[in-house]
Amino acid sequence: MKLYYSPASPFVRKVVLVLHETGQMDDVELLPVSTSVTGPDSALAASNPLAKIPALIREGGPTLYDSRVICEFLDARAGGVLYRGGWDMKVLEATADGIMDAAVSMSYEKRLRPAEKQWDAWLEGQLSKVIGACAAIETRWMPLLSGPINIGQLAVAAALAYVDFRHPDAGWRNASPQLAKWFETFETRPSMQATRPDAT
């Protein structure tokens, strides 16, 4: 299998965390790609019509894209160990992905739009999604972040790591101290250290 990836993408990092935690890292060749809304990569677009990463090329089937699809495929391939928790686990993963969506949107606004055209209200709206989702995890989903490794833990960790990486002044810890404490511990996992953007 081959994975289109960029180490800075939180969605890619979630997939690579799944590969590490399920022992499938050696089964996948990483294909570095630089792509954006304004400059899509042509090879990636040929595999994924949305020209978004991650995208997983596999034998005997079409390319898989969207991190949730890829993660569930990889988990099934490993025997189904990460999605315990039923619908609650899927909602937690979706919440983490929402944090990623909002944080990536903020990054695009700051990095791709000229400074004089940046929309402060848009940035504030996206940041409120990040803060609100972290608070929701704090009040509703913390039990799913304990125990054996699961997709919720990996998705939340990838999301928070990206927020810290791109938006270190976001302030999500202020309203979510339990989540912050959990993340501080989770960051020490070997898979988290191996997938840091500055570790590649």
Side-chain angles (χ1 to χ4, degrees):
M1 297 183 292
K2 298 180 180 180
L3 180 71
Y4 282 108
Y5 94 113
S6 168
S9 165
F11 298 100
V12 168
R13 189 174 188 183
K14 181 177 71 163
V15 169
V16 178
L17 284 169
V18 168
L19 289 170
H20 275 281
E21 294 288 349
T22 60
Q24 299 182 80
M25 200 66 212
D26 291 341
D27 297 341
V28 176
E29 177 186 353
L30 299 179
L31 302 176
V33 63
S34 178
T35 191
S36 72
V37 175
T38 57
D41 180 88
S42 58
L44 173 62
S47 294
N48 174 0
L50 302 176
K52 295 172 68 175
I53 52 175
L56 182 71
I57 301 171
R58 59 193 176 122
E59 294 180 8
T63 298
L64 299 179
Y65 48 90
D66 186 277
S67 65
R68 276 179 267 187
V69 173
I70 296 171
C71 287
E72 197 154 359
F73 168 79
L74 292 172
D75 181 56
R77 189 173 182 265
V81 296
L82 296 178
Y83 280 86
R84 295 175 301 271
W87 293 110
D88 283 351
M89 188 65 69
K90 289 177 182 287
V91 172
L92 177 57
E93 182 186 12
T95 302
D97 282 5
I99 293 172
M100 295 182 208
D101 281 329
V104 168
S105 181
M106 290 167 63
S107 294
Y108 279 146
E109 184 73 12
K110 291 178 180 179
R111 295 170 57 220
L112 297 181
R113 192 183 295 274
E116 67 276 8
K117 294 184 179 181
Q118 289 179 13
W119 189 6
D120 290 342
W122 173 266
L123 290 167
E124 291 169 8
Q126 299 304 318
L127 179 58
S128 72
K129 292 180 184 181
V130 171
I131 302 301
C134 288
I137 294 170
E138 174 96 356
T139 58
R140 173 66 181 89
W141 305 110
M142 290 304 296
L144 293 180
L145 297 183
S146 62
I149 195 72
N150 61 55
I151 192 62
Q153 295 169 13
L154 299 179
V156 169
L160 298 179
Y162 181 80
V163 173
D164 281 354
F165 177 60
R166 290 291 190 202
H167 311 288
D169 59 346
W172 64 268
R173 288 173 174 82
N174 296 336
S176 306
Q178 292 181 71
L179 181 59
K181 185 175 181 180
W182 171 84
F183 182 57
E184 182 179 339
T185 300
F186 199 86
E187 274 191 304
T188 65
R189 289 183 72 87
S191 61
M192 287 293 288
Q193 295 300 309
T195 59
R196 285 168 45 204
D198 58 358
T200 57

